Amino acid sequence: MSSTAEVTFSDTDIADALAAVDTGMSVLAQSATDALSNRERVLVLQQMETWFRMIPGIGHTLINQLHEQRGDGTVGEANVCQLLQSALRISPTDAGRRVRAAKELGTRTTMTGETVEPDLVNTAAAQRDGAAGADHVRVIRRFLHQLPAAVDTGTRAQAEAELAGLARELRPDELGRAADRLAVYLNPDGTLADENDRARQRSFRMGPQGPDKMSKGSFVADPELRAYLEAVFAKYAKPGVCNPEDPTPTVDDDPEPAVAQRDTRSTGQRQHDALKAMCRAMLASGQLGQHRGLPVTTIISMTLQELETASGVAVTGGGSLVPIRDALRMARHAHHYLAIFDDRGRPLYLGRSKRVGSGNQRIVLHVADGGCTFPGCPKPGYLCQTHHGRKDWAQGGETNIDELTFACDEHHPLAGAADTDWHTIIAGPDDPYPGRTYWIPPTHIDPTRKPRINHYHHPGEYLTQVRMTRRDRPSSIPSVADWGYAWLQIARM
């Protein structure tokens, strides 16, 4: 069941404990439970729940120790979040959540060797005992985060101890009710004490796209942002302004009365269209400068067939999907860069003359890779660097398009030549994914060092997983003949 049996531990007690748990879990997983009474089934579930609750408490200290002793040479990743993602096969969000929890709930060691108790010492104890689960812990952490800064340290510690004690007896929803009432006692007026309390609440969240390509989101605006939005909405969210249903939408001038009268949009829809117009105007202004060697712009890729039929969906440099008809309408605002790029007349092969990939090469990589090529990484092309995937620059690699690939800021430093580094290779023409980048994990991640490829930005591959012919896949040297791709670089709206 576990790979720990293949590892020799320096602490035999730890090795014996892991072996005992591994054996016990194997027996449980293979045991029939038909002969148990319902009372016995409940007892088994209760025992298992206690184990589930205890395990994160043990993990918090291990995660803190990984952070404190990073750089010891046994693992390559200096960033603990990255190490957890690769070693445990968990999402970046989950890895970040575990690291943050470990800082509050795990035992730490100072540089002088002194042991430091967790910040939430009582909550951590309840979790280690198996009395408090993840939902209990979440209630307590949220309660403490929402307390005003004016609440003194002693009062916070007393409140944490009270809630941790209740977590041993109450369900999470009951604990939440108790925490809400305790918050009223500590902050009866519900007021914020200072500017920092307001500032830490500001947020903007754009959720994932739904099947209809629409994205839900939420935000908490500070007073300054609200003041700016009020001014924008006063101008651009009036009835008859920025109405996409008008053949020639009114933008700069006041709308004619008839135009305003036939505007059937709700207030929320008008404000949505006002924000869209503001973003388009800002991109068109050129005041945003450059990002990773390209003007701050919207980059959209589509197949040549989709362009010709005006159907299907295109992909942005941020990884979102745009219906082809919308992409073509967006392109009407572009004064520049509506073109089909190929490898003729464009400096895609730079040899050793330049270390960093050019803007032209980045445009090609937006289509070839879609985003970071590290296995499972969801970072889109907008957030990636160009990486020498075939041979590192320091080892004599050349800055040619068939040797470059996308790697995000977090995963780019993981690539290297050492045994604890990830190695990258470019697939040859006979590979099922020619021209794509494989990442080979170090032995502490996978002793077999099986090459991995990122299908995240090519989700159709999750469904097919079949070997494709050269005719169906792009070659290692990009060209319209091989790819049939068009690029829209929408820079001037």
Side-chain angles (χ1 to χ4, degrees):
M1 176 181 294
S2 173
S3 62
T4 56
E6 304 172 1
V7 180
T8 301
F9 288 90
S10 56
D11 190 321
T12 56
D13 290 339
I14 295 291
D16 293 342
L18 288 174
V21 172
D22 201 26
T23 301
M25 292 299 295
S26 297
V27 172
L28 277 176
Q30 298 173 19
S31 297
T33 58
D34 306 68
L36 296 179
S37 68
N38 279 344
R39 174 57 182 162
E40 291 172 327
R41 293 186 181 103
V42 170
L43 291 174
V44 172
L45 289 172
Q46 288 177 334
Q47 182 61 63
M48 291 174 63
E49 184 64 26
T50 299
W51 294 339
F52 294 155
R53 293 176 176 182
M54 293 174 66
I55 289 173
I58 301 171
H60 295 324
T61 298
L62 292 171
I63 290 173
N64 285 336
Q65 291 170 342
L66 282 173
H67 180 75
E68 292 160 359
Q69 300 178 32
R70 63 191 185 279
D72 66 353
T74 60
V75 296
E77 293 89 336
N79 185 300
V80 176
C81 274
Q82 295 172 354
L83 175 59
L84 295 179
Q85 293 169 41
S86 301
L88 306 183
R89 290 186 292 112
I90 58 177
S91 69
T93 300
D94 191 7
R97 186 187 302 117
R98 296 191 192 192
V99 169
R100 290 190 297 271
K103 292 180 180 179
E104 295 181 341
L105 298 165
T107 302
R108 301 186 301 276
T109 305
T110 66
M111 296 183 64
T112 58
E114 299 176 356
T115 300
V116 179
E117 291 295 322
D119 294 341
L120 309 184
V121 59
N122 299 284
T123 305
Q127 189 177 41
R128 287 197 305 270
D129 293 341
D135 288 340
H136 293 99
V137 174
R138 191 175 298 113
V139 169
I140 297 174
R141 294 180 69 198
R142 182 174 63 245
F143 163 83
L144 294 170
H145 177 74
Q146 293 175 346
L147 280 183
V151 177
D152 62 88
T153 303
T155 302
R156 286 174 176 270
Q158 186 177 357
E160 185 266 337
E162 179 73 18
L163 292 178
L166 292 174
R168 294 175 177 269
E169 305 171 6
L170 304 179
R171 299 193 312 262
D173 57 318
E174 296 174 315
L175 181 64
R177 296 271 293 178
D180 292 342
R181 183 53 57 93
L182 183 56
V184 172
Y185 293 154
L186 297 180
N187 186 26
D189 298 327
T191 57
L192 299 175
D194 56 25
E195 292 295 327
N196 290 331
D197 287 331
R198 278 207 304 266
R200 68 181 180 177
Q201 294 190 57
R202 71 190 189 280
S203 68
F204 178 88
R205 178 185 179 276
M206 183 167 61
Q209 285 184 296
D212 58 358
K213 311 301 182 291
M214 302 296 282
S215 303
K216 293 183 178 180
S218 62
F219 71 92
V220 177
D222 64 12
E224 182 180 357
L225 176 58
R226 182 184 178 90
Y228 295 150
L229 290 176
E230 288 173 342
V232 171
F233 291 153
K235 168 68 176 178
Y236 291 120
K238 293 190 300 185
V241 178
C242 298
N243 189 353
E245 298 178 1
D246 290 337
T248 305
T250 302
V251 178
D252 295 325
D253 301 324
D254 289 333
E256 297 292 336
V259 174
Q261 188 174 4
R262 68 170 180 261
D263 189 348
T264 60
R265 295 174 298 166
S266 66
T267 299
Q269 290 170 335
R270 294 199 306 271
Q271 291 178 345
H272 169 278
D273 295 339
L275 287 174
K276 184 165 61 174
M278 181 179 66
C279 292
R280 185 169 59 222
M282 196 64 198
L283 285 172
S285 70
Q287 297 179 16
L288 297 178
Q290 290 196 339
H291 175 67
R292 300 188 187 275
L294 286 174
V296 176
T297 180
T298 300
I299 297 179
I300 299 180
S301 62
M302 65 183 74
T303 66
L304 192 57
Q305 180 182 1
E306 290 167 341
L307 178 63
E308 293 173 343
T309 61
S311 63
V313 292
V315 183
T316 72
S320 60
L321 303 179
V322 179
I324 295 297
R325 293 183 181 275
D326 290 346
L328 296 179
R329 177 176 49 76
M330 294 168 67
R332 289 203 299 266
H333 297 282
H335 296 174
H336 293 322
Y337 314 131
L338 175 55
I340 300 176
F341 296 112
D342 59 18
D343 57 344
R344 299 180 181 177
R346 296 178 62 79
L348 302 181
Y349 285 80
L350 305 180
R352 296 287 294 177
S353 64
K354 188 177 181 181
R355 182 178 185 274
V356 180
S358 69
N360 291 338
Q361 291 173 323
R362 286 190 62 85
I363 293 175
V364 174
L365 291 177
H366 271 289
V367 174
D369 294 336
C372 179
T373 56
F374 186 86
C377 181
K379 293 292 179 63
Y382 286 154
L383 305 181
C384 291
Q385 306 174 20
T386 53
H387 166 63
H388 292 74
R390 191 183 303 277
K391 181 186 292 185
D392 190 75
W393 173 265
Q395 306 298 322
E398 297 184 344
T399 310
N400 300 327
I401 190 60
D402 60 345
E403 299 195 24
L404 295 179
T405 191
F406 267 158
C408 70
D409 295 343
E410 292 184 4
H411 293 129
H412 195 190
L414 301 186
D419 292 339
T420 55
D421 293 332
W422 288 73
H423 300 172
T424 57
I425 57 174
I426 303 296
D430 295 329
D431 190 86
Y433 306 100
R436 295 273 291 281
T437 304
Y438 282 93
W439 290 69
I440 302 175
T443 54
H444 68 270
I445 298 296
D446 179 6
T448 66
R449 307 204 70 188
K450 180 180 179 181
R452 306 179 184 184
I453 195 169
N454 190 9
H455 298 293
Y456 189 93
H457 304 287
H458 308 266
E461 295 172 0
Y462 288 129
L463 304 178
T464 57
Q465 290 292 309
V466 295
R467 184 175 182 88
M468 301 180 183
T469 64
R470 181 183 177 90
R471 179 180 56 193
D472 297 322
R473 299 292 306 172
S475 68
S476 60
I477 302 178
S479 70
V480 169
D482 290 328
W483 281 355
Y485 271 109
W487 291 272
L488 296 175
Q489 188 176 1
I490 302 170
R492 297 183 61 84
M493 304 301 204

